[in-house]
Amino acid sequence: MGDYGRPLEFGYFLVPDADDPLLDLARAADRAGLDLIGVQDHPYQRRYVDTWTLLSMIAAVTDRVRVFPDVANLPLRPPAVLAKAAASLDALSGGRAELGLGGGGFPEAVEAFGGPRRTPKETADALAEAVTVIREVWSGGRNLRFEGDHYRLKGAKAGPVPAHRIELWLGTGGPRGLALTGRAADGWLPSSSWATPDKLPALHARIDEAAVAAGRDPADVRRLYNVNGTITDGASDGFLRGPASQWADELTDLAVGSGMDSFILWAEGDQETQLKRFAEEVVPTVRAQVAQERAT
């Protein structure tokens, strides 16, 4: 672990609360020059609009930012249909869709909404099967066949083909999920609220070990990070709770010392203000500091 040397990217974590000005915030992120907008996926949350509907609307009202579910709730999103939805959005947006995928938290809520209640092993197995199914559907092939314990393809005909090679990022934390990330995913997508900086070395190690065993370079796996906190004008009140200069230093340390390369702002407080400060005060400084660290 350390610095994998990947280009930096920055994004915004949009909570899909129906009462918020969601499209205005998405436009603001796009105008601010951010690279990504991620939307969490909790269909059972009554206050939230549907994630895929919102992602489609965001793509329609923005020009350059890439969009993705952060992360899609697999038990409530059959992988073949999920793959088609992602490919369709990518084609319609001119190659601006990526796919974050998770095994599904909150099992009681998933079950209440008609999804399967899975054990940890079943969750890991289903996620591995879903990765295979999604890759097959994105291939655009015909007569696709796959027989798993949770998902199947029986002569499926795939299409449309994505406009670009969609990256598949997994929001995993357990040993089996991390190993799957290392051997088969394009990226790892944890949140700072549970994958705290002190835990990152051990989590990266599991990914890297699996990548090497699969004949991959660990640097091929993007490391995204949903960073939760607040940019303030006062003194530091802990990790990612302080002035923009503190944020810049801590994100720089995460990039050059803790292996993360993409930072998705999960802000508390006034969203428009936090987004603006992140884009204008934090992002340019992190880019400059990381470039300087890498040069020396």
Side-chain angles (χ1 to χ4, degrees):
M1 201 201 69
D3 184 1
Y4 294 95
R6 294 183 60 98
L8 298 180
E9 290 200 315
F10 298 87
Y12 177 57
F13 184 89
L14 183 58
V15 178
D17 194 313
D19 293 332
D20 289 344
L22 300 173
L23 298 183
D24 288 343
L25 289 168
R27 291 187 188 97
D30 190 43
R31 290 194 301 268
L34 296 183
D35 305 292
L36 299 161
I37 295 177
V39 179
Q40 60 179 284
D41 186 29
H42 297 290
Y44 37 75
Q45 171 54 267
R46 67 180 183 85
R47 297 192 305 273
Y48 291 177
V49 301
D50 175 68
T51 294
W52 276 103
T53 304
L54 177 57
L55 289 171
S56 298
M57 289 295 295
I58 291 172
V61 302
T62 56
D63 296 318
R64 51 169 302 281
V65 70
R66 306 198 318 278
V67 299
F68 66 101
D70 191 358
V71 291
N73 194 306
L74 179 60
L76 295 174
R77 307 277 185 185
V81 178
L82 180 61
K84 186 178 179 76
S88 299
L89 182 56
D90 196 58
L92 292 169
S93 66
R96 293 194 290 128
E98 312 290 359
L99 181 57
L101 183 64
F106 306 102
E108 291 183 359
V110 168
E111 186 178 37
F113 225 66
R117 183 163 187 153
R118 292 172 173 153
T119 66
K121 181 182 183 305
E122 290 170 339
T123 296
D125 290 343
L127 186 61
E129 291 180 15
V131 169
T132 299
V133 168
I134 289 167
R135 298 281 196 207
E136 286 293 303
V137 172
W138 284 344
S139 74
R142 295 174 177 268
N143 195 32
L144 300 176
R145 297 187 179 275
F146 175 78
E147 187 69 28
D149 293 329
H150 302 278
Y151 301 114
R152 297 163 189 80
L153 294 173
K154 297 191 174 184
K157 299 176 182 178
V161 175
H164 86 300
R165 185 185 180 280
I166 297 177
E167 292 194 3
L168 181 55
W169 305 329
L170 300 184
T172 56
R176 290 165 61 90
L178 293 168
L180 173 64
T181 301
R183 69 175 182 268
D186 298 298
W188 178 46
L189 180 54
S191 296
S192 64
S193 56
W194 59 267
T196 51
D198 61 297
K199 297 178 181 177
L200 291 177
L203 299 173
H204 282 305
R206 288 189 179 273
I207 294 171
D208 295 353
E209 181 181 356
V212 170
R216 305 180 71 194
D217 183 342
D220 291 340
V221 182
R222 184 192 296 270
R223 320 286 167 131
L224 304 100
Y225 208 22
N226 295 316
V227 287
N228 176 241
T230 309
I231 304 169
T232 71
D233 290 317
S236 173
D237 190 32
F239 177 65
L240 296 180
R241 296 181 184 278
S245 58
Q246 175 189 331
W247 273 71
D249 288 344
E250 289 177 342
L251 296 189
T252 298
D253 287 343
L254 286 166
V256 298
S258 296
M260 309 310 288
D261 56 69
S262 302
F263 301 101
I264 316 299
L265 174 68
W266 182 3
E268 299 173 7
D270 182 80
Q271 295 297 299
E272 186 173 352
T273 300
Q274 291 290 303
L275 194 162
K276 185 174 187 294
R277 296 196 67 177
F278 182 71
E280 294 181 359
E281 301 176 37
V282 177
V283 170
T285 304
V286 176
R287 290 192 185 279
Q289 290 182 172
V290 170
Q292 183 176 18
E293 291 273 358
R294 288 175 171 175
T296 57

